[in-house]
Amino acid sequence: NQKVHEYCLDETMLRQIHAILTTYPIPCIYFTNKGIISNNKAATHQHFVDALIRSGMSQAEIEQMLNSDGFGDYADEITDLDTLLQQNYIVYKCEFYARDEVQYQELCQKLNAIEHMAISGWISLNIECTHAWANKGDALKAYAQKQAIPMDQIVVLGDSSNDISMMKVVKHSIAMQNASDKVKAVAAYTLQYSHREDGVAYVIEQILERYGDQ
């Protein structure tokens, strides 16, 4: 329960992101050292629900997810970026949703032009902006080195584009059945089960059955 290292989005990067989003306009969520901040709680919450619907989730599943896991809950609403910066928030990630595929591609192209920016996502039309060095792949390598775990002894499972950096650094990478084609193309294997079919549990059980005594 201790922070080992961090890479955050600096003021220049945040202002560049803000300038791009205001031309559409699109509300934004900031993942900070003081919790998750939205500049428009109602809009960002609805965008999130819309993305879940596009992914095929039922209304009952969405309600269960929102109620049990706290998705869509925000520590605060700060409508102005200057206010956020003046209150000394450290921003680790900005997240938002495009309206359609055309807008998604436009946003990614513009955001990719920002120096040291990494673009990923985890659900339909979702965009996550982090520092280029704040990714799962580098974090996994650093943790493995600290714990003296050989990289060829690590199994990675994922279904979203923010898992790709992690899949690229290990030999045993597995894409869930519900993963995008982009993720499946990178992974060494594709599982026959989705995350909602307990695919992760299935893989863990298989590993324990085969190698649990080693």
Side-chain angles (χ1 to χ4, degrees):
N1 195 32
Q2 295 180 339
K3 180 170 64 180
V4 177
H5 199 70
E6 68 179 6
Y7 290 107
C8 60
L9 297 170
D10 61 31
E11 180 176 344
T12 299
M13 300 170 83
L14 288 170
R15 291 196 181 281
Q16 288 176 295
I17 295 170
H18 178 74
I20 292 171
L21 295 184
T22 52
T23 61
Y24 283 90
I26 294 176
C28 183
I29 309 166
Y30 302 96
F31 290 75
T32 80
N33 60 322
K34 302 178 185 180
I36 302 174
I37 310 299
S38 172
N39 62 6
N40 188 326
K41 285 185 178 181
T44 51
H45 180 82
Q46 188 58 52
H47 285 197
F48 175 59
V49 171
D50 291 344
L52 296 179
I53 293 172
R54 287 193 302 270
S55 72
M57 291 184 67
S58 68
Q59 191 62 43
E61 290 172 322
I62 292 173
E63 290 179 2
Q64 181 182 16
M65 182 178 184
L66 294 174
N67 293 331
S68 63
D69 297 330
F71 283 100
D73 293 340
Y74 306 107
D76 201 357
E77 179 178 86
I78 299 177
T79 59
D80 183 67
L81 178 60
D82 286 326
T83 301
L84 187 78
L85 295 171
Q86 290 166 6
Q87 295 183 12
N88 297 318
Y89 280 87
I90 298 174
V91 180
Y92 302 112
K93 179 174 70 174
C94 292
E95 182 179 25
F96 38 88
Y97 298 85
R99 181 182 63 247
D100 51 42
E101 185 63 29
V102 172
Q103 189 181 80
Y104 175 83
Q105 295 299 334
E106 290 178 0
L107 283 165
C108 288
Q109 183 178 10
K110 293 178 179 180
L111 292 164
N112 274 320
I114 300 176
E115 188 175 11
H116 301 310
M117 180 73 73
I119 308 299
S120 63
W122 70 282
I123 201 169
S124 173
L125 303 180
N126 169 253
I127 298 176
E128 297 180 341
C129 299
T130 60
H131 193 286
W133 298 336
N135 63 78
K136 294 183 180 183
D138 286 337
L140 180 60
K141 287 192 295 183
Y143 180 80
Q145 183 177 14
K146 182 179 179 180
Q147 301 295 327
I149 302 172
M151 295 301 292
D152 63 1
Q153 295 297 305
I154 295 174
V155 176
V156 164
L157 299 98
D159 60 0
S160 303
S161 61
N162 58 14
D163 296 317
I164 289 177
S165 64
M166 188 167 54
M167 292 181 168
K168 288 181 175 179
V169 300
V170 300
K171 178 181 179 181
H172 307 294
S173 57
I174 303 174
M176 312 302 290
Q177 185 57 50
N178 60 287
S180 66
D181 291 339
K182 185 177 180 181
V183 174
K184 291 178 179 178
V186 175
Y189 311 96
T190 296
L191 193 65
Q192 66 266 43
Y193 303 114
S194 71
H195 68 295
R196 286 192 281 171
E197 296 172 315
D198 298 325
V200 175
Y202 170 79
V203 172
I204 293 173
E205 288 173 352
Q206 292 296 310
I207 292 172
L208 291 177
E209 286 180 8
R210 298 185 188 189
Y211 308 107
D213 296 332
Q214 297 183 18

